[in-house]
Amino acid sequence: MINLAVFISGRGSNFRAIHENIKSGYLKDVELKLLVSNNPHAEGIKYACEENILVLISGNEDIILKKVKQCNIDLICLAGFDQILSLSFLEKFNEGKWKIMNIHPALLPSFSGNMHAQRDALEYGVKISGCTVHFIDEKVDNGPIISQASVEVLNDDTEVTLSDRILEQEHILYSKAIKLFSENKLKVINGRHVKVD
Ligand code: GRF
């Protein structure tokens, strides 16, 4: 059994999808112990309260780290969290392992480093985009890639329609990665390649 914390700043649809996959039994070895939001108005907070999930509203790393330790968190999933965690936070939480994941709405390393990857993909004119789940390191959108899903860009796509189709894939992909982690199947080789056992 692993204890999970999800960090959000807004809508929280990935957070919700993960929780639904726990409730359905797909993520049977995962307990969602904590939601952290650095934004008191994040929509995802309401859902957490309705579902009796502990919520911490803070962007202060010391406060977050204390709570994460108190809750014995094994894995942190960033899901639309708009704050860059410091190297010191990563080191203190990770303790030499890879224990923080992020989801990015593009096929990394393309369209990294900002909050509108879907718009950038459309503007660039790529024919395929998608989403990436990766472990985080000290550089933004840079850590070892765990999994990716591709989404075709259609001729009449807008930022909204493309984002919606990518989001559908995000909801599936994130839980798959969490499942592999909970089964201890993810091994990071040389700080870059994730091998699935
Ligand atoms: C998602 O597109 C995620 O990839 C990106 O931010 C968005 C968060 O959406 N990092 P939600 O808050 O999970 O609905």
Side-chain angles (χ1 to χ4, degrees), residues 2-191:
I2 63 156
N3 293 331
L4 173 69
V6 180
F7 288 18
I8 66 165
S9 300
R11 183 176 52 189
S13 73
N14 276 288
F15 159 61
R16 192 183 177 125
I18 293 164
H19 188 245
E20 280 166 1
N21 281 325
I22 292 174
K23 287 204 294 186
S24 77
Y26 174 68
L27 291 173
K28 62 177 171 40
D29 297 323
V30 181
E31 207 166 318
L32 215 172
K33 286 276 185 189
L34 177 67
L35 175 74
V36 174
S37 175
N38 61 354
N39 167 13
H41 307 294
E43 273 174 67
I45 294 172
K46 188 167 170 278
Y47 174 79
C49 293
E50 286 162 6
E51 295 290 327
N52 290 315
I53 297 164
L54 183 64
V55 177
L56 172 69
I57 300 175
S58 177
N60 179 298
E61 287 191 350
D62 293 334
I63 294 174
I64 296 174
L65 193 65
K66 196 166 159 219
K67 183 57 87 189
V68 158
K69 297 253 171 182
Q70 261 173 16
C71 295
N72 290 316
I73 297 302
D74 301 296
L75 173 67
I76 292 174
C77 284
L78 309 181
F81 187 63
D82 62 11
Q83 185 175 325
I84 295 168
L85 294 168
S86 70
L87 180 58
S88 148
F89 182 94
L90 301 192
E91 285 175 350
K92 286 184 193 141
F93 177 71
N94 278 332
E95 295 176 317
K97 303 200 185 91
W98 295 90
K99 302 200 295 180
I100 312 178
M101 291 181 184
N102 180 44
I103 187 150
H104 184 74
L107 295 175
L108 289 176
S110 293
F111 310 114
S112 61
N114 63 47
M115 299 297 280
H116 41 77
Q118 303 95 326
R119 192 202 312 164
D120 292 351
L122 262 186
E123 281 175 4
Y124 194 94
V126 293
K127 302 299 183 197
I128 294 179
S129 192
C131 49
T132 303
V133 177
H134 63 98
F135 285 117
I136 70 160
D137 64 11
E138 70 283 5
K139 295 190 205 134
V140 175
D141 296 333
N142 178 72
I145 291 172
I146 300 166
S147 53
Q148 296 185 301
S150 61
V151 171
E152 195 180 344
V153 181
L154 306 176
N155 283 334
D156 56 356
D157 258 334
T158 62
E159 187 181 352
V160 172
T161 57
L162 179 61
S163 301
D164 283 352
R165 289 204 316 290
I166 292 175
L167 194 64
E168 264 177 49
Q169 295 304 314
E170 292 184 37
H171 292 165
I172 299 167
L173 197 72
Y174 219 167
S175 287
K176 277 190 185 166
I178 294 167
K179 189 174 172 66
L180 290 171
F181 183 97
S182 73
E183 294 166 346
N184 202 19
K185 288 186 174 158
L186 299 177
K187 299 277 167 328
V188 181
I189 318 284
N190 298 330

